[in-house]
Amino acid sequence: MIYTHLEVTEVAGDIFDFCCNMTEEQDARARALIERAAAKWPLRILHALSDAGAPLRFSRLMERIEGISQKVLTQTLRTLESDGLIIRTLYPEIPPRVEYELTPLGRDLLMQVVTLWRWIVERLDEFDSRKAVKLTATDN
Amino acid sequence: MIYTHLEVTEVAGDIFDFCCNMTEEQDARARALIERAAAKWPLRILHALSDAGAPLRFSRLMERIEGISQKVLTQTLRTLESDGLIIRTLYPEIPPRVEYELTPLGRDLLMQVVTLWRWIVERLDEFDSRKAVKLTATDN
DNA sequence: CAGAATCCTAATAGATACTG
DNA sequence: CAGTATCTATTAGGATTCTG
């Protein structure tokens, strides 16, 4: 739909040649996955799980992820589980214990995202300099 | 805050060694940037601009990005501009003409995201297989 | 043409109370 | 402990109208 040149040539297909090798559906599903995983809370949860280096209980996650509500944490964990990025293990004890951990896929995905993350951090001043220019120009 | 081991060692600092070399603020700003750029509409807009291979007018963007409203397109373009990812050029003609194009930084960032995108597409079946397993297990 | 302004609805987040 | 249920508040988003 947004690809008006399905019979793409070199003219505009520079960094997006890969689009030609995927269906619209694959494209949309991958984008949806990025959208969900690269959002605020999912990113922090995946990060916290990787950071811990071990399975974490629900309450430990709540402590580590400052500002998240119990409801949103639950929701986000369910989504991450459904996307195959984390595993939820229930130990039917009393009181119950639930542990969350990254799946290999989740860990791999996070590594990819971290690469991007690092790339951005290394260029934060470039993003900033533009804002500074904009501000001074606006203030005139 | 979520890094309980600022004096990290090898134990948990595997893929996140880079965290030790950045401040909390850098970390948060980079995450916010990912969050904004990797969302639904920004991703599609950046993609459309790259795909076109040339500056696009407001109305051309509206056409190419199916489903977006004029208000949200305006908003998102403003955010992308403010983040230094696109440039807005107003030609004071009648009727007015406005063109949007990627900045070098925007193009570079998109390339990084596309790398991630492609990585996910190549593994879509892994994400899917987990869902399939989950569904069958739930149906019992 | 490229939006700004307005109004309105729908989706999300937060707070609180309750439960196996 | 790890949620669910419920209600409210905030926000994001869509539709429409208007303008330089």
Side-chain angles (χ1 to χ4, degrees), chain A residues 13-53:
Chain A
D14 44 12
I15 65 176
F16 284 112
D17 285 345
F18 85 101
C19 293
C20 307
N21 300 323
M22 67 172 77
T23 66
E24 283 288 340
E25 195 213 344
Q26 289 178 315
D27 184 67
R29 291 225 312 274
R31 181 170 43 230
L33 224 27
I34 290 182
E35 208 186 309
R36 284 197 298 275
K40 183 181 181 183
W41 297 123
L43 219 49
R44 299 192 64 145
I45 291 174
L46 295 176
H47 193 164
L49 286 175
S50 172
D51 198 46

Side-chain angles (χ1 to χ4, degrees), chain B residues 3-55:
Chain B
Y3 313 124
T4 52
H5 59 302
L6 290 177
E7 68 311 318
V8 75
T9 59
E10 287 75 357
V11 55
D14 46 11
I15 65 177
F16 284 113
D17 284 345
F18 86 101
C19 292
C20 307
N21 300 324
M22 67 172 77
T23 65
E24 283 289 337
E25 194 212 346
Q26 288 179 314
D27 184 68
R29 291 224 313 274
R31 180 169 46 230
L33 224 28
I34 291 182
E35 207 186 310
R36 284 196 298 273
K40 182 182 181 183
W41 298 123
L43 219 48
R44 300 193 63 146
I45 291 174
L46 294 176
H47 193 165
L49 287 174
S50 173
D51 198 45

Side-chain angles (χ1 to χ4, degrees), chain B residues 67 69-72 75 96:
Chain B
S69 69
Q70 172 261 324
K71 180 176 139 187
V72 172
Q75 280 177 177

